[in-house]
Amino acid sequence: MAIISEMQEEKPSLPFNASLDPSNPLGFLEKVLDFIGKESDFLLKDTAEKEIASAVTAAKKRLGEAKEEEKESLKPLEKKLKEESSQPMEVEKPKKEHLKPTEPMEVEEKKAGPIVPNKGNGLDFETYSWTQNLQEVTITIPVPSGTKPRSVTCEIKKNRLKVGLKGQEPTIDGEFFNAVKPDDCFWNIEDQKLISVLLTKQDQMEWWKCCVKGEPEIDTQKVEPESSKLSDLDPETRSTVEKMMFDQRQKQMGLPTSDEMEKKDMMKKFMSQHPEMDFSNAKFN
């Protein structure tokens, strides 16, 4: 007895072999439908067209939703980029230098103050030196040993001196600090190596700050007259010199001068003579 099997052999499925050309998507879709028609009875169904159309609509919907989600996810980034682009770009400024190359350096010039005088109450320079007392100024100029008086030129005027060796630039050529008495002035050669010029001051109650104008000036508060020579002065001159010396010492110590002390004593005497007057608000210099 023969047994007939109702089971039919299954056809082996063929592999789908097709690639998508982005410029021709319908061609790829036709290959897909051909493959479906060969491998199944789907296209023979009456509802095949509607189902395919529904599948296409659903695919479009999914694609639209995916794009919307992508847009939403990109919005924060777009907003941030927009905010950054609207802000002005900050450019790093170069660091300021303490001194710009185009700006000249300001250097504060310090003026030289009065100089302490030498032992002769004057100053020493490379080419000559000078000393003084209240009556006279003495200038000493070194010259080559063996220099004769005829090699010297010396012109002494009331307010000016020109002295040096003939044929050379004068050692001194300038205006005196104060006037002199030309008739009481003279010069000579000492030991054939020094020119000595003696100047008699016109004002014999003043110390010179310099010998020639334009030179560095001495501090006349530091002048020290030789007390041993005070006895050689006449009484009036001696009294004036002693007063000047006393006032200088008082000023150096910050104490009142002789004139200030005299005024103060006069005021005390006046106050004692007039006790009825009120001096409580009086100010004394």
Side-chain angles (χ1 to χ4, degrees), residues 52-248:
I52 292 174
S54 298
V56 171
T57 301
K60 288 176 67 177
K61 184 178 180 181
R62 288 195 300 271
L63 181 61
E65 291 175 350
K67 287 185 176 181
E68 286 296 325
E69 290 178 359
E70 184 179 359
K71 286 182 181 180
E72 289 296 326
S73 64
L74 292 176
K75 280 184 179 181
L77 180 60
E78 290 177 353
K79 183 179 181 181
K80 184 178 180 181
L81 292 174
K82 187 176 181 181
E83 290 175 351
E84 290 178 352
S85 62
S86 62
Q87 295 177 355
M89 183 178 295
E90 293 183 1
V91 180
E92 185 178 359
K93 296 181 180 179
K95 295 181 180 179
K96 293 183 178 179
E97 299 292 338
H98 292 294
L99 290 174
K100 296 181 180 179
T102 55
E103 293 180 354
M105 292 180 66
E106 296 182 0
V107 180
E108 183 180 355
E109 296 182 359
K110 295 183 178 179
K111 296 182 179 180
I115 302 172
V116 177
N118 59 21
K119 292 182 179 180
N121 298 320
L123 276 180
D124 300 320
F125 299 102
E126 291 184 1
T127 55
Y128 75 97
S129 63
W130 67 279
T131 60
Q132 68 172 323
N133 54 40
L134 280 173
Q135 291 79 37
E136 300 170 341
V137 172
T138 301
I139 300 173
T140 305
I141 304 173
V143 292
S145 181
T147 299
K148 304 295 183 181
R150 62 176 177 269
S151 302
V152 177
T153 175
C154 184
E155 298 178 8
I156 303 174
K157 297 181 180 180
K158 180 180 178 181
N159 295 302
R160 194 172 188 87
L161 172 66
K162 183 177 181 181
V163 61
L165 297 177
K166 291 180 180 178
Q168 299 181 17
E169 288 291 325
T171 304
I172 301 175
D173 186 6
E175 185 180 353
F176 290 129
F177 174 77
N178 235 330
V180 299
K181 299 176 181 180
D183 294 338
D184 295 333
C185 301
F186 64 90
W187 66 271
N188 67 340
I189 291 285
E190 295 183 359
D191 300 328
Q192 295 186 343
K193 60 182 180 181
L194 290 174
I195 300 174
S196 179
V197 182
L198 179 66
L199 305 171
T200 302
K201 295 178 180 180
Q202 197 169 74
D203 182 357
Q204 299 190 352
M205 301 305 297
E206 182 182 12
W207 296 106
W208 283 17
K209 293 183 178 180
C210 60
C211 180
V212 177
K213 289 183 178 180
E215 292 179 347
E217 296 184 352
I218 65 169
D219 185 356
T220 55
Q221 298 292 328
K222 303 292 179 64
V223 167
E224 296 180 358
E226 295 183 17
S227 58
S228 60
K229 293 185 178 181
L230 290 177
S231 58
D232 299 335
L233 303 176
D234 60 84
E236 184 180 354
T237 304
R238 178 177 177 177
S239 175
T240 304
V241 172
E242 289 176 341
K243 179 177 179 296
M244 290 174 59
M245 294 172 62
F246 174 80
D247 289 343
Q248 285 182 0

